[in-house]
Each structure stands twice: as C-alpha cells, then as structure tokens.
C-alpha cells in the first residue's frame, strides 16, 4: 500500500470534479482526500500500484462533462494514513493556475424539476446543480467554494445540507445549492417610490400579468439586467424603442421552448444544438414566411430576414417565459449604448426611464456579461458575433505555448476585450463594449482589476493597438509607465491576421498563408485608415501585399455612421455623382462635403466596410446607419433574397499592390441606371469579392487562405467563399473568437510570439553561421 498524489489543472472547479472523484473512490473502496486549490485539484489516495494507475486513468477519462484538463500527473508521495475518503477544505497556498468555469445554462434535469409536482424545487427560480448555474459571474476569489461567491451569505437548510453531503446526490458539494427553504429572495418593484413586493409566490405571476398588459420589465439575469416585453405587441415594442433611443437595431427574442421557436423560425440542427446547449447563446435564425408565433417581425428586426433568438438559460427566465406563453423581447438593460446594468442599486436608480417594473434578487453579480451571439452558415459553420456569457474568460485550447512573463494585450476600442497570458494559460475577457463610451471604459477597467488580482498577476509586458487615440492604447501605455514594464504596439490588421492564424495553429515559420483582413477601420502603418487588406505570412514574416485602392475618409468616424458619405467619397469627381447622391443631402451639406472632398490633405481609407456602405447607399438601402453595421447587414439581406444567382462578376483587377474597385463601381452604376434588380446587383457584388479572393490566391500561388475582420461576420459571404473555394483552397476562419475586433487582443499576443520566434530563428541562424566559420 502506497500513498499517491494526483494533481489536475485546468477547468476543474465548479464542474462537480470533487464529488465525482469522491464517488469514484467509493467504487474503488479507496481511502484518501480530494481538495480544490488555487492551482487546480489535488487527490491523495492509499492504493497498490496497479489500482492507483487504473483509478488515475478513470479520473482523466471519465471527468465531468464541463471539465477541461490542461495538465495532470500522478506520483508516489510519503505514506499518509487515511480513514475513509473525504472532500477536505480547499487550499489557497499555491500560485494560482486555473481555468475559470463560465456560467452554464440550466440543465435538462433542473429544468424538469421546475414543473414536477413531487419536486420540492417546483417553481423555484434559482435551482442549480453540479452541472449548471452561475459560476464566473458570482466568484469573488479562488478556489471555487461557496464562501468565495456572492452566495456566501445564504446558509443551506437541513434538506439542502443533506443533499450537499450525500455522495449519491447530484447536488453533492454543489456550491450554488439552495431551495425555497433557504432561498435567494426576489423583490419586485412597480415604481421607484413603492416598497417592493416580497411575496415569493406572487412575484412571477405579477410580473407575467404586467407583461401581458403591455408593460416593460427589467429582470436581473446571470450577467446583468434584461428588458422584457411582449414580442407580439407592436405598440409596446415601439415604446421600448423610444425609451431606449433605438430606432431600428434588432432586438433578441426569448422563446419558452424550442418547439415554439420552430413555429416562427427555420432552425437547423446546428442552431438547435447551440440554442439548447450549455452556452445557450442568442442565435440568428431565418424567419419563416408564415410566422405562426405572431411576433411583430417588422418592429423587432426591420429590413432583416433573421431574428436573434434564445431559450431560457436560467430557471427564472424559464418560469417567466413558460407562464407568459408567448415570445418575449429580451434585450440588455442599458442606457444609450452604455454597458449592461448589473448592480441592483444602479438598476433601481437608472432603469425607470425604460422599465415599468424591476425584478431584483439577493445574489450579487460580480462580473457583468452580455449574452453571447452566434450565427451559422447553411453548411453549419459557426460565426461568433459576440463572445461573452457562457464563453468567457477561458481560451482553450491554444497554440501560443508558454510565457516566462505575464502578457497583457489590451485589444481595440470598437469591440473591447482584453487578453492575459500567464505561463500556458490564456484568459480573454467577455465583450466589454465600445471603449469610446466612458461607462464602457469603467467596465473595462473593473474587469481588468478583477481578473488580474484573481490570479495574483502583474503584467510584465503590455501590448496595445498602434492607434494613438484608442482608449485601450492610452490606458495600456499609462499602465506600462506606472508599472515600469515594457510596452509594445501591434498594427490592427496584423493582429487580426495573427489571431486567425493562432486559432488555426498556423504561426510556425514554415507556414505560408494569405490573409484577407477586411473590416471598417484600423490605423495603418502609413497613418491612413486601413480595412481592405491582404497579407502574406511566410518564413515567419508578415507583409501587406495588397489593399483596396484608397479613397477619401471624410470626417473620421462620422463616415462609418453615414454610408452616404462613403458613396460620396467613392464618386469623387464622378460626372454622375450629383444625379445619384444629391437627394441624400441638403444643399448646404452638399456644398460643404464637396469642399471637403477637394482638399488635398484628406485622410485616405482602404476600408472594405466603407466600400460596402457606399454600395448600400447607392442601391438606396441605407444612407445613415442608426446602429453599427446596419447598411452592411441590409445589403447582405438584399443579396440573399436574389433568385437569379448568377456566376458573373464585376471586375476587381489587381494592379501592382492595389485592388482597383473603380471599374466595378462604374458597372454597378450602369446597372443601377439601367434599373437592374437591386438584389441581383448585391449578389453579383458579393460574387465579385469571392472571385477577388481566388484571383489573389492564384497570383501569389498560395492556397492556404485565412479570413478575419468584421466583414467576415457576413454569413452569406462566408458561405459563398466556402462553397466556391474549398475544393481547391484550404480555408481558415475563426473558431473560438469573433472575426470582429474582439479577436484583436489574441492577435496581439500572437504577434508577440511571432516576433519572438523570429528572434529565436535569427539567433539560431547566426549561431549556425558562426559554427561554419569556426
């Protein structure tokens, strides 16, 4: 008999690993202990060599379903006598080395309990177990134990304690365990002055009754407050839009179950799996022509052919949605584009301008998170549009190896998300909003100030975007100065390219890859505004080899808000400019913008996003965006509606290192003047982009093609690229991250690795040269 020590690292806390080990030890009749620690999970057992090896193999091969094991080892240690097998008090004396379990959507068993007459948790809105419930959003420190969460103040009743200590119960050592006898209490406020309704049995019924009369409710979720209202009531939706100052941006819709959702939407197997899975994100699904659920499609998603839908991912949302019995608008509770509100005090101070009722409860949120958003191409390729609840903060697996110092990558501003690499672990924050907003900057800082101390980390190197006026760049530079650590900048589009390569294990110097990096804006190395770039990665070197020919960038970010300005810039000096565009401007505006265009010191842009905006404006789709990406989204919808899906293209010739879009524009204008169908023009335009990609690949004789940038959130374009090029090209898209700027932080880490790989290779080459000379 010998004592063995098994150490397991990774995502091993908050997944039911200790109860699993305890049950397995009972099957083997082993004595010993299991404990959480700041560096993972530790198991000590008394066993013979053969039995210990088999037990060890079973732990690893049969680990709980939400586990991610990054490292494991078993070794003999000094003999210790154990009596029985026990879960012992967690240890906090080791250097932190963990992955953090994200919030997990309600599991089928807990969902079923909500309506089972023989269940003592029937209609209890906070039921959880080892396999579901809040994790990342409620932890205050590690290791993961109840006293280190915002449920520390709730003492378990005798029945919950019995479950907690019963090795056969699925709530054995479930840190979020509670029931109606030791409940998380709700409070329903009907206006800002009244005392809340506290009768737990009446609160949800009262809320549902109010929703049925057209009222708007703010309800606390896992990561923050959601605004709910009747998705079949056009007047209520209009009220919500006016209160939120959100004239056209689509709302997400919460359905009580997948069957109800399928009555109104076309949901394929990939979308169904996502909706009912552990992340339970918002998923964009095509709208059925005969919408049996009677939702107000035009009011919810104007001019779009898909809805962002979700299923209840908490028991509270399940109870509300089921009792309401119809689809509900479910949108983040925030004010004028600021971050989601998650603190009860702020909700009760600020949400009365949009909500008629507010439902809070006594479990604080530590880390706010919006819902993650996904969509799928018809072939099933996932495109992540927002990475947040259920996905953050872990990033695993990855191919960046280990670091000797802690790296902090600050990301970009438009889609704020930072990344931390410590040794072999990478953490990427949840989506943190547009960093041009002060409240979003506060959210960014708070999340950073939470994650770094959580792992007891201090950055040794800070990486930022090259853009001199980004908040993330200036904040990173200040942090580096204050901490006296090195600070390095990474060009925006190179970070995009490096990110998609990192996700696909392409960073080796032996790789030869062509990167198509198309987005709205990024600060270029020539101080112009890039966005339609093609890079070559070869022998560890990254080079910009092609770009969309420049056109004037008018009034900075204003151009991204007004597609009419992109069209005007593209038609600079064009004889038909006034005839095609003057109706979008007042006479005074027209004169002003003509003067701007005549200046010789205008910034220039190569942005594919702005090119798309300009074409959308020329087609009369959208001249002024009321939300980010509106013109591009509506252009995609128009192209997807085309029945005459031609193989013909507009010309996009490559001249030296530039992509000449002007001949294409002339032919588009000719089609518009000849009253060609607009959906046909839009389809042909996308077809032309696919041909451009193929042409560039053939010219440079590189068949490995990678894609990043916000343009590749476009499901139609992605599907066309895959359908037409995958037979002869090897295509690489993002896997765990969005192609938008949420991936920039990972790209900054990857560029840092590339630079170090090149230094190592250079030193090796110099060493080999020296040895030859000697």
């Amino acid at each position: 008999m010998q004592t063995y020590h098994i150490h397991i690292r990774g995502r091993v806390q908050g997944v039911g690993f200790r109860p699993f080990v305890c049950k397995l030890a009972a099957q083997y009749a082993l004595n010993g202990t299991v404990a959480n620690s700041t560096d993972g999970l530790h198991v000590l057992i008394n066993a013979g060599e053969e039995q210990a090896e088999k037990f060890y193999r079973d732990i690893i091969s049969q680990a709980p379903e939400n586990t991610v094991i990054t490292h494991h080892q078993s070794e003999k240690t000094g003999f210790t006598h154990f009596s029985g097998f026990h879960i012992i008090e967690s240890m906090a004396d080791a250097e932190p080395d963990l992955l953090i379990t994200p919030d997990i959507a309600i599991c089928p068993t807990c969902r079923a309990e909500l309506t089972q007459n023989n269940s003592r948790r029937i209609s209890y809105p906070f039921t959880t177990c080892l396999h579901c419930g809040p994790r990342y959003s409620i932890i205050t420190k590690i290791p993961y134990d109840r006293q280190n969460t915002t449920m520390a103040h709730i003492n378990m009743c005798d029945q919950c304690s019995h479950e907690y200590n019963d090795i056969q119960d699925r709530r054995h050592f479930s840190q979020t365990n509670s029931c109606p006898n030791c409940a998380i209490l709700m409070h329903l406020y009907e206006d800002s002055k009244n005392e809340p309704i506290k009768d737990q049995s009446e609160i949800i019924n009262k809320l549902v009754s109010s929703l049925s009369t057209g009222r708007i409710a703010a309800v606390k979720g896992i990561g923050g407050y959601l605004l709910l209202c009747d998705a079949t009531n056009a007047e209520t939706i209009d009220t919500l839009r006016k209160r939120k100052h959100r004239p056209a941006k689509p709302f997400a819709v919460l359905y009580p179950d997948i069957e109800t959702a399928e009555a109104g939407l076309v949901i394929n197997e990939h979308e169904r799996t996502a909706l009912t899975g552990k992340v339970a994100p918002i998923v964009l699904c095509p709208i059925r022509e005969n919408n049996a659920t009677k939702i107000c499609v035009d009011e919810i998603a104007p001019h779009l052919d898909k809805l962002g839908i979700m299923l209840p991912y908490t028991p509270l949302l399940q109870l509300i949605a089921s009792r309401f019995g119809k689809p509900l608008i479910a949108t983040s509770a925030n004010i004028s584009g600021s971050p989601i509100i998650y603190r009860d005090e702020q909700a009760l101070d600020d949400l009365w301008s949009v909500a008629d009722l507010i439902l809070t409860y006594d479990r604080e949120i530590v880390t706010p998170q919006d819902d993650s958003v996904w969509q799928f191409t018809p072939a099933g390729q996932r495109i992540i549009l927002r990475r947040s609840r259920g996905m953050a903060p872990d990033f695993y697996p990855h191919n960046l190896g280990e670091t000797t110092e802690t790296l902090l990558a600050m990301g970009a501003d438009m889609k704020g998300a930072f990344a931390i690499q410590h040794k072999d672990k990478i953490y990427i924050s949840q989506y943190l909003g547009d960093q041009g907003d002060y409240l979003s900057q506060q959210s960014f800082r708070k999340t950073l100030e939470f994650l770094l101390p959580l792992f007891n980390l201090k950055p040794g190197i800070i990486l930022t975007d090259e853009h001199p006026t980004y908040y993330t760049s200036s904040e990173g530079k200040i942090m580096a100065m204050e901490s006296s650590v090195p600070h390095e900048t990474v060009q925006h589009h190179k970070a995009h390219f490096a990110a998609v390569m990192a996700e696909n294990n392409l960073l080796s110097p032996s790789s030869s890859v062509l990167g198509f990096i198309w987005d709205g804006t990024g600060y270029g190395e020539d101080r112009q505004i890039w966005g339609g770039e093609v890079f070559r990665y070869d022998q560890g070197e990254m080079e910009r080899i092609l770009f969309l020919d420049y056109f004037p960038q008018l009034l900075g970010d204003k151009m991204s808000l007004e597609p009419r300005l992109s069209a005007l810039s593209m038609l600079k000096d064009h004889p038909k400019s006034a005839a095609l565009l003057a109706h979008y401007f007042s006479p005074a505006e027209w004169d002003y913008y003509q003067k701007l265009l005549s200046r010789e010191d205008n910034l220039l842009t190569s942005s594919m996003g702005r090119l798309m905006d300009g074409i959308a404006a020329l087609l009369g789709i959208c001249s002024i965006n009321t939300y980010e990406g509106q013109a591009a989204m509506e252009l995609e919808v128009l192209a997807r509606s085309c029945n005459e899906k031609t193989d013909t293209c507009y010309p996009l010739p490559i001249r030296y290192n530039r992509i000449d879009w002007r001949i294409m524009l002339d032919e588009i204008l000719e089609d518009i003047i000849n009253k060609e169908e607009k959906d046909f023009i839009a389809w042909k335009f996308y077809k032309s982009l696919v041909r451009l990609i193929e042409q560039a690949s053939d010219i440079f004789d590189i068949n490995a093609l990678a894609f990043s940038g916000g343009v590749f959130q476009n499901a139609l374009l992605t599907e066309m690229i895959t359908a037409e090029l995958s037979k002869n090209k090897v295509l690489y898209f993002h896997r765990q991250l969005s192609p938008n700027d949420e991936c920039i932080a990972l790209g900054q880490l990857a560029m840092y690795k590339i630079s170090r790989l090149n230094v190592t290779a250079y030193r090796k080459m110099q060493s080999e040269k020296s040895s030859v000379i000697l």
Side-chain angles (χ1 to χ4, degrees):
M1 187 72 68
Q2 178 73 43
T3 299
Y4 289 84
H5 173 216
I6 301 169
H7 181 201
I8 306 171
R9 292 189 286 152
R11 185 193 295 170
V12 294
Q13 298 183 14
V15 296
F17 215 121
R18 287 177 297 178
F20 157 71
V21 171
C22 200
K23 188 179 291 188
L24 189 64
Q27 293 174 15
Y28 274 81
L30 294 176
N31 294 337
T33 62
V34 60
N36 277 343
S37 174
T38 44
D39 66 346
L41 190 91
H42 293 269
V43 183
L44 290 171
I45 57 167
N46 288 335
E49 185 174 353
E50 184 177 344
Q51 189 182 33
E53 179 62 28
K54 191 172 187 307
F55 178 71
Y56 174 46
R57 288 200 307 266
D58 284 353
I59 285 179
I60 304 306
S61 64
Q62 300 173 26
E65 57 183 337
N66 295 308
T67 299
V68 173
I69 295 175
T70 61
H71 174 82
H72 57 87
Q73 65 182 44
S74 176
E75 59 185 3
K76 292 180 182 179
T77 187
F79 182 78
T80 304
H81 174 74
F82 297 107
S83 176
F85 193 93
H86 304 283
I87 299 174
I88 63 172
E89 184 177 350
S90 297
M91 303 173 286
D93 54 349
E95 180 183 356
D97 189 1
L98 283 172
L99 294 177
I100 298 299
T101 302
D103 299 318
I104 306 170
I106 182 173
C107 70
T109 308
C110 283
R111 194 187 303 273
E113 275 187 338
L114 294 173
T115 55
Q116 288 173 351
N117 291 326
N118 62 347
S119 168
R120 68 189 187 89
R121 289 185 175 82
I122 185 171
S123 299
Y124 178 57
F126 303 102
T127 182
T128 65
C129 70
L130 290 171
H131 310 299
C132 68
R135 300 291 192 269
Y136 176 49
S137 62
I138 64 168
I139 61 169
T140 55
K141 58 182 178 179
I142 54 175
Y144 176 73
D145 286 303
R146 192 180 184 105
Q147 66 266 28
N148 293 336
T149 74
T150 56
M151 289 190 67
H153 65 290
I154 300 174
N155 294 318
M156 280 184 259
C157 66
D158 289 344
Q159 288 173 293
C160 283
S161 293
H162 177 75
E163 292 170 335
Y164 185 82
N165 291 296
D166 182 356
I167 192 173
Q168 298 302 322
D169 198 284
R170 80 175 208 280
R171 293 187 170 92
H172 180 219
F173 258 73
S174 173
Q175 303 304 308
T176 54
N177 199 22
S178 67
C179 76
N181 297 326
C182 51
I184 298 169
L185 297 178
M186 298 182 292
H187 313 279
L188 181 63
Y189 297 80
E190 292 194 85
D191 63 56
S192 59
K193 297 178 182 177
N194 288 350
E195 285 295 311
I197 298 171
K198 296 182 179 179
D199 185 341
Q200 301 299 295
S201 64
E202 287 299 315
I203 284 177
I204 293 178
N205 288 337
K206 176 66 176 177
L207 179 77
V208 168
S209 175
S210 297
L211 291 170
S212 299
T213 62
R215 302 179 81 189
I216 299 167
V219 175
K220 189 175 182 179
I222 278 187
Y225 280 80
L226 294 173
L227 294 173
L228 305 181
C229 72
D230 186 352
T232 68
N233 188 326
E235 185 177 346
T236 299
I237 297 168
D238 182 61
T239 299
L240 179 61
R241 286 202 176 279
K242 288 176 180 175
R243 290 180 181 180
K244 282 204 76 176
H245 307 290
R246 184 170 170 168
K249 187 177 181 179
F251 290 124
V253 178
L254 173 69
Y255 283 86
D257 50 62
I258 191 69
E259 291 77 18
T260 306
E262 288 179 323
L265 299 123
V266 179
I267 301 176
N268 65 31
E269 61 175 310
H270 305 286
E271 292 154 351
R272 172 187 271 266
T273 299
L275 287 163
T276 57
K278 300 178 189 306
V279 177
I282 296 171
V283 180
L284 273 58
C285 299
I287 302 165
R288 288 191 186 277
E289 289 186 14
N290 298 318
N291 175 25
T293 58
K294 307 300 181 186
I295 63 170
C296 303
V297 172
D298 292 340
E299 287 76 13
I300 295 170
H303 311 299
L304 301 179
D305 59 355
K306 291 184 179 182
L307 275 186
I309 68 164
M310 65 174 127
L311 299 182
Y313 51 83
T314 69
L316 175 58
L317 288 177
Q318 181 67 66
L319 290 168
I320 293 170
S322 297
R323 293 183 188 180
F324 188 69
K326 296 185 292 182
L328 287 161
I329 300 293
T331 187
S332 298
N334 56 7
I335 306 298
S336 301
S338 295
I340 188 170
I341 289 173
Y342 69 102
R343 295 193 182 279
D344 299 340
E345 308 80 39
Q346 186 184 6
L348 293 170
D349 285 342
D350 295 347
L351 287 180
W352 292 113
S353 62
V354 289
D356 302 307
L357 305 93
I358 298 176
L359 175 60
T360 73
Y361 53 77
D362 295 341
R363 186 182 68 208
E364 290 184 18
I365 297 168
V366 176
T367 307
Q369 301 164 84
D370 289 279
D371 294 311
S372 293
V373 184
W374 301 357
Q375 71 171 327
F376 293 86
T377 66
Q381 181 177 333
R382 182 178 71 169
I383 303 172
I384 297 171
L385 304 178
R386 185 166 70 202
R387 179 185 178 275
S388 198
R389 176 189 54 78
M391 302 184 76
D394 300 336
F395 181 78
Y396 183 87
H398 70 83
N399 302 291
L400 296 188
E402 293 195 32
T403 60
T404 56
E405 62 278 289
T406 297
L407 306 179
L408 170 61
M410 297 291 282
D413 267 20
M414 280 299 293
K415 304 286 183 183
F418 62 81
I420 301 167
Q421 183 172 10
H422 177 66
K423 295 185 176 178
D424 64 341
K425 302 288 192 302
I426 290 180
Y427 310 96
I428 301 181
S429 75
Q430 68 274 23
Y431 163 78
L432 294 168
D434 178 359
Q435 296 306 301
D437 175 82
Y438 174 70
L439 293 177
S440 294
Q441 294 172 9
Q442 284 188 314
S443 178
F444 189 100
R445 280 196 297 269
K446 285 178 181 177
T447 306
L448 190 57
E449 290 166 0
F450 170 70
L451 274 178
L452 285 171
L454 186 70
F455 299 106
N456 195 26
L457 299 178
K458 293 183 178 180
I461 295 174
I462 297 177
L463 309 170
T464 66
D465 193 278
E466 282 189 348
H467 198 299
T469 64
Y470 272 179
Y471 161 76
T472 49
S473 297
S474 58
E475 184 73 6
K477 187 175 182 180
I478 290 169
M479 289 177 64
M481 290 175 61
E482 290 177 346
S483 303
S484 299
V485 300
H487 164 247
E488 297 183 15
T489 62
V490 179
Q491 199 280 323
H492 186 90
H493 298 92
K494 288 183 176 179
H496 265 300
F497 188 19
V500 69
M501 287 198 299
E503 285 204 66
N504 289 280
N505 197 21
L506 298 172
L507 295 181
S508 166
S510 63
S511 297
S512 183
V513 188
L514 214 56
F516 295 84
I517 314 303
W518 295 349
D519 64 1
T521 182
Y523 189 72
E525 291 175 340
D526 58 0
R527 299 188 179 183
Q528 305 302 331
I529 307 302
W530 290 6
E533 318 309 311
V534 182
F535 290 90
R536 175 171 54 202
Y537 181 77
D538 190 44
Q539 300 297 312
E541 297 289 340
M542 189 181 291
E543 179 187 7
R544 183 195 191 209
I545 56 173
L546 279 179
F547 58 94
L548 203 64
D549 205 2
Y550 285 129
F551 52 98
Q553 171 86 14
L554 295 177
L555 298 176
D557 290 340
K558 184 177 176 65
M559 191 159 159
S560 65
L561 303 175
E562 300 187 15
R564 62 178 187 163
L565 295 182
S566 292
L568 187 67
S569 175
M570 289 158 55
L571 264 64
K572 179 179 182 288
D573 300 326
H574 197 285
K576 293 186 173 67
S577 175
L580 291 166
L581 296 174
H583 64 285
Y584 283 140
F585 303 88
S586 69
E589 285 178 322
W590 183 264
D591 289 344
Y592 172 68
Y593 289 126
Q594 292 301 319
K595 288 176 182 176
L596 279 184
L597 283 171
S598 66
R599 291 174 52 172
E600 295 184 359
D601 61 346
N602 278 319
L603 271 176
L604 301 175
T605 183
S606 59
S607 169
M608 183 64 75
R610 298 294 79 81
L611 179 72
M612 288 181 166
D613 281 354
I615 289 170
L618 288 169
L619 291 175
I621 299 170
C622 180
S623 63
I624 296 180
N625 287 332
T626 63
Y627 60 89
E628 183 195 355
Q630 180 178 358
M633 290 171 66
E634 293 183 8
L635 181 66
E636 179 186 356
V637 171
L638 183 66
R640 192 158 39 233
S641 70
C642 178
N643 292 321
E644 189 183 346
K645 292 181 168 58
T646 180
D647 280 332
T648 60
C649 303
Y650 296 114
L652 277 167
I654 293 172
R655 306 185 190 281
Y656 301 104
N657 62 346
R658 303 198 177 203
I659 301 163
D660 187 351
W661 47 267
R662 289 173 178 81
I663 299 175
M664 176 185 73
L665 185 64
D666 284 338
E667 292 197 11
I668 288 175
L669 294 177
E670 185 176 343
D671 281 349
I672 292 172
I673 292 167
N674 292 334
K675 301 192 182 305
E676 187 67 74
E677 292 294 332
K678 292 180 179 179
D679 57 2
F680 176 78
I681 297 172
W683 172 268
K684 193 175 173 182
F685 166 67
Y686 284 118
K687 200 80 171 178
S688 306
L689 297 183
V690 178
R691 288 287 178 266
L692 169 65
I693 293 166
E694 183 177 39
Q695 180 185 0
S697 172
D698 292 343
I699 288 173
F700 292 98
D701 194 25
I702 298 175
N703 289 325
L705 313 179
F707 304 90
S708 187
V711 166
F712 295 105
Q713 293 179 131
N714 185 312
L716 175 63
L717 178 59
T718 300
E719 177 71 11
M720 291 171 74
I721 291 168
T722 303
E724 297 194 27
L725 302 183
S726 60
K727 290 181 181 179
N728 300 311
K729 315 291 180 184
V730 183
L731 309 178
Y732 298 99
F733 296 91
H734 285 280
R735 297 181 177 187
Q736 298 186 61
L737 298 175
S738 173
N740 69 34
D741 282 4
E742 289 179 55
C743 75
I744 290 293
L746 177 69
Q748 291 166 348
L749 293 179
M751 284 299 293
Y752 180 83
K753 176 174 182 177
I754 289 170
S755 67
R756 295 315 178 264
L757 285 174
N758 288 343
V759 167
T760 301
Y762 176 78
R763 287 174 178 169
K764 182 180 179 182
M765 181 183 69
Q766 293 297 107
S767 175
E768 289 172 351
K769 284 182 178 178
S770 298
S771 63
V772 169
I773 293 171
L774 291 173

